[in-house]
Amino acid sequence: MNRPQAEILLRQSFKIDHFYDEQWQTIEKILNGERVLLIEKTGFGKSLCFQFPATVFDGMTVIFSPLIALMRDQIKKLQSLGISAKCINSEQTPEENLQIIEEAKRGEIKILYIAPERQENSDWIEAVRQMRLSMVVVDEAHCISVWGHDFRPAFRRIVNLVNLLPTGLPVLATTATATKRVEQDIAAQIGGGITVVRGNLMRENFRLFVIKVASEDEKYIWLGKNIETLADRLGGSGIIYTGRRVDTEMYAQWLEYLNIPATSYNAGLDPASRIDIEETSEQKIFESTISKKANVKDAFDCQPADEIAGKTIMLLDDIFDSGATIKEIGRLLTRLGAAKIVPVTIAKTVGGDKI
C-alpha cells in the first residue's frame, strides 16, 4: 500500500486528510511488518501510527498502556468512528474483562487496550494464545527502561512477549519522554532490527513560572491571594496537582472556603465517582488532583482531552526531575493539538534553583 492509497483509507476511517511525513514513515514500516520506536511529543499523533494500521490488518492489535483514563478517551473516539475497540483494566468487573477476552478470541475486536500488569493474569495468559494478533504496541515505552523516569517492572514482561512473536509481526513502541540513553535501552530490548523515529520534543506553547515559598502554609496563602487573579487573567477553569490524596481534599476545601467552586479527584475515589468528576469538572473553577510520586505524569494523564485546553495548571509539590516534568507538561498541553492550547501558569515550590 502506498501513501496515496493509505490516505484514501485515512479519510474514510478517521476523517483526516493527510499523514505527517514522520507518521507515514512509521506506518509504512509497520505495514511492512517491521519494528519501530517512535519518539514524538504528544499532539503529534502517535496513536494514529498504530490505530490506522490496526484497521488495515486482518487480526487484532494489542496496545499495552498504563493509563486507564487515556484508554477510555481513545476508545471513545475510536468507537465514535465505528472502529471496534475495547480495554481490559482493573476498574472493570472481572465479568466485564472476561467478556471482552471472549470477544477478542472470537475476532470481534480490532483494537484491544490492556494494562501491562494484566500479563500476570491467568485468564489473559491462556486467552492470548487463542487470539489472532496482527500487531503489538507498547505505549509509554520509556517505562521499559530502568534509565527512564518512570520504570515499571511489568513493562519488562512485555519484552518477554515481544521476543516470542514470529518474525514479520510488527511491533511499535511509542513515547514522548526518552533521553538518548533510554532510547538505546528500549531499542536494545525490543530488538528485531528496530528503526528509531525521533522528532523534535521541544515545546514553545507553554510558560513555566516557579513560585518559591518557605512552608506548606505559605502555599495556601499564595494561592488565596493570587488564584482569582490568575483565573480572571487567563480565563476558563483550572487544575491543581498535589503529591498526596489528602492534599487534593484540603486544597479543594480551601478554595471552596474562598468561594471558588472546586472538587477533589484522586485514586482513592471509586471508578464511578472519578468518571462523574471527569464528565462534570467544567462546572468547577479549579479541580484539585493528586500527582503520584510528586511527578506530573500520572495526574496529567487522568484528565480527559476535552478538559485540558484553556486551563490554568498548578503543581503544588516538589519537582524531582525537571526534564521529565517539562516534557510531561508539554505532553498534556498538546493532547488537543498545539493550535488549541493557551499559555499555562504553574505555581510551584522548590527547595533550590532546580528549574
Side-chain angles (χ1 to χ4, degrees):
M1 180 185 299
N2 59 33
R3 183 169 179 171
Q5 292 170 331
E7 289 181 338
I8 291 173
L9 296 179
L10 180 68
R11 285 188 288 273
Q12 292 173 349
S13 298
F14 291 89
K15 318 304 180 190
I16 298 172
D17 290 331
H18 302 288
F19 295 112
Y20 298 140
D21 290 342
E22 291 86 353
Q23 284 178 324
W24 176 246
Q25 178 186 358
T26 301
I27 290 170
E28 187 175 35
K29 291 183 178 298
I30 292 296
L31 293 176
N32 289 333
E34 300 180 34
R35 296 185 177 187
V36 180
L37 168 57
L38 177 61
I39 306 170
E40 285 281 1
K41 55 181 172 281
T42 299
F44 166 80
K46 293 188 296 296
S47 60
L48 189 63
C49 293
F50 55 79
Q51 291 173 354
F52 175 79
T55 64
V56 175
F57 292 140
D58 290 334
M60 182 182 71
T61 291
V62 172
I63 301 159
F64 290 100
S65 173
L67 312 172
I68 294 177
L70 192 59
M71 289 183 191
R72 286 199 295 260
D73 195 32
Q74 293 194 3
I75 288 170
K76 182 179 179 180
K77 291 180 180 178
L78 288 167
Q79 290 179 345
S80 72
L81 294 170
I83 298 169
S84 177
K86 293 192 176 180
C87 65
I88 297 173
N89 64 61
S90 59
E91 291 193 353
Q92 296 173 170
T93 66
E95 292 75 18
E96 287 176 311
N97 286 331
L98 284 173
Q99 176 61 35
I100 292 170
I101 286 175
E102 291 301 315
E103 292 174 12
K105 286 161 59 175
R106 295 195 297 267
E108 298 173 4
I109 299 173
K110 267 295 181 185
I111 299 177
L112 179 65
Y113 289 81
I114 184 169
E117 289 77 11
R118 296 292 301 186
Q119 293 174 97
E120 300 173 357
N121 181 277
S122 58
D123 293 325
W124 167 256
I125 293 171
E126 178 62 29
V128 74
R129 298 190 179 99
Q130 303 174 51
M131 296 177 186
R132 185 182 179 188
L133 297 184
S134 57
M135 176 169 56
V136 171
V137 179
V138 185
D139 198 15
E140 308 297 325
H142 55 271
C143 297
I144 289 176
S145 176
V146 294
W147 304 112
H149 68 277
D150 194 27
F151 169 63
R152 294 172 63 150
F155 270 75
R156 281 291 178 90
R157 289 186 282 276
I158 299 175
V159 175
N160 297 334
L161 170 63
V162 168
N163 290 334
L164 296 174
L165 296 175
T167 302
L169 194 148
V171 177
L172 175 62
T174 67
T175 179
T177 58
T179 62
K180 282 292 184 180
R181 191 176 193 180
V182 172
E183 171 191 318
Q184 293 166 1
D185 191 17
I186 297 171
Q189 291 188 61
I190 293 180
I194 192 169
T195 297
V196 178
V197 178
R198 175 183 276 272
N200 181 6
L201 302 182
M202 296 301 293
R203 314 310 303 253
E204 299 179 355
N205 63 321
F206 71 92
R207 293 179 289 182
L208 180 65
F209 297 89
V210 178
I211 310 300
K212 294 184 180 181
V213 296
S215 67
E216 292 294 316
D217 289 343
E218 284 194 15
K219 293 181 187 179
Y220 287 90
I221 294 170
W222 186 93
L223 198 61
K225 289 181 176 179
N226 295 281
I227 196 165
E228 286 191 291
T229 300
L230 287 171
D232 290 342
R233 179 163 60 86
L234 295 177
S237 54
I239 306 171
I240 295 175
Y241 294 97
T242 71
R244 301 181 304 166
R245 294 182 188 179
V246 66
D247 288 334
T248 67
E249 298 165 4
M250 291 177 66
Y251 278 109
Q253 290 172 8
W254 174 237
L255 293 175
E256 289 282 357
Y257 175 77
L258 297 173
N259 294 317
I260 298 173
T263 188
S264 62
Y265 179 113
N266 60 60
L269 298 173
D270 61 85
S273 296
R274 276 188 274 175
I275 291 173
D276 181 63
I277 292 172
E278 290 172 8
E279 293 176 347
T280 61
S281 68
E282 285 301 321
Q283 300 171 12
K284 302 293 185 179
I285 299 300
F286 275 87
E287 178 180 349
S288 184
T289 302
I290 189 171
S291 175
K292 299 178 183 177
K293 303 178 187 174
N295 182 309
V296 297
K297 178 182 183 304
D298 294 312
F300 279 12
D301 281 325
C302 79
Q303 301 301 324
D306 57 0
E307 294 179 13
I308 299 303
K311 286 185 180 286
T312 301
I313 311 297
M314 295 186 181
L315 176 63
L316 296 180
D317 208 15
D318 293 334
I319 293 177
F320 295 107
D321 184 341
S322 60
T325 296
I326 290 170
K327 290 176 183 177
E328 293 297 344
I329 293 167
R331 186 176 186 276
L332 166 78
L333 296 183
T334 54
R335 190 174 293 172
L336 294 181
K340 297 182 180 179
I341 299 298
V342 299
V344 170
T345 300
I346 297 178
K348 174 66 185 62
T349 174
V350 295
D353 296 325
K354 297 182 181 180
I355 297 180

